[in-house]
Amino acid sequence: MKKIAINTGGGDAQGLNAVIRAATLSAINRGWEVYGIRRAYQGLLEEGGIMPLTQDTVRGITHVGGTILGTTNRGNPFAMPVTLPDGTTKTVDRSADVITAFEEHGFDALIAIGGDGSLTIARDLAKQGLPVVGVPKTIDNDIEGTTLTFGFLTAVDIATDAIDRLHSTAQAHERVMVVEVMGRHAGWIALFAGVAGTADVILIPEIPYRVDKVCQKVMEREERGRRFAIIVVAEGAYPVGGEPSFTDPEAQRLGGVGEVLARQIGGATGKETRALALRHLQRGGSPNSYDRLIALRFGAAAVRCVEQGEFGCMIALDPPDVASIPLEEAVARQKLVPIDGDVVATARDLGVSFGD
Ligand code: F6P
């Protein structure tokens, strides 16, 4: 008989609830008790922050977006924001309080579902003795050691659908449409959706672009009578010798490169050019069937790790299997698009420009 806890941290991704359901049912079927910690680690420090997870609480949530536990990207126990009496805020290390609360609740293990930030926190808590199994989530697909993270393929579906829809209006008006997609400093969403949606130009952070090369592609099409173009740009993409664009530089919140590019392309080519940023639409709604499947497999695998007493690890997709790797390895670096990989080569063979 074990008593385990589950939390979700960082930005949401489609499939979080499917992991929660799979982990909960796998644990209950072993005769264990399961609890959810609300809003990452904050629930351990607040009254009413722990909720029992039962067959009833996880019923019918596999296809539901978001997370029934809530999430936050300001819940790092090693740097928790605290408001002082004078209204200013500072960060304090509350990791010892989190571990004490975890022990006081009598939990035997934590299944921590999160992206690189949350998995780094899990790694650091594991170093302090917390028995934790990580589960990788992010639409960005930028976690090392796992072929895919859940949420990614659904975000790609959403972006591909948007590109498909923009094709007909771009063609009708003979415009250039610039679609900005998420992904932080990795170009996975832009690359996969751009190729699947048959974009003409794909700009990713791994390949800094030149605006003149982008315009050259637009004008080559124009000369062939293709008087419209679709450009997919990752939010983290930047020009050669330049910097990424931020909507909030202080918070390092990426965004805005699509608008910048649209102005530059319109100015240089004389073509009417419009920009659209998909932003959080890419994180909303139901996971597709493959993301549901990965998420359910990850949740069940995390419970098998707990059963075997394997901690300080992260569940990873290693087709055709699900494996576990040390958290240390998973957070050592960000998984970027290999620029000499097959998908980039395929795009180039199809005539896609990367602006280089
Ligand atoms: O990591 C997921 C992600 O959606 C990134 O693609 C994006 O840069 C970031 O989170 C946005 O974060 P927030 O929801 O805090 O604006």
Side-chain angles (χ1 to χ4, degrees), residues 73 138-140 182-184 235 253 280 283:
N73 37 24
T138 170
I139 64 165
D140 305 334
M182 280 185 165
R184 286 199 311 167
E235 62 181 0
R253 193 164 293 134
H280 293 83
R283 294 208 322 231

Side-chain angles (χ1 to χ4, degrees), residues 297-308:
R297 291 171 71 194
F298 280 7
V303 169
R304 292 197 295 272
C305 272
V306 173
E307 187 172 44
Q308 285 152 20

Side-chain angles (χ1 to χ4, degrees), residues 1-3 30-33 108:
M1 165 73 187
K2 287 188 193 298
K3 187 174 171 183
R30 284 167 168 76
W32 303 355
E33 274 179 30
D108 296 301

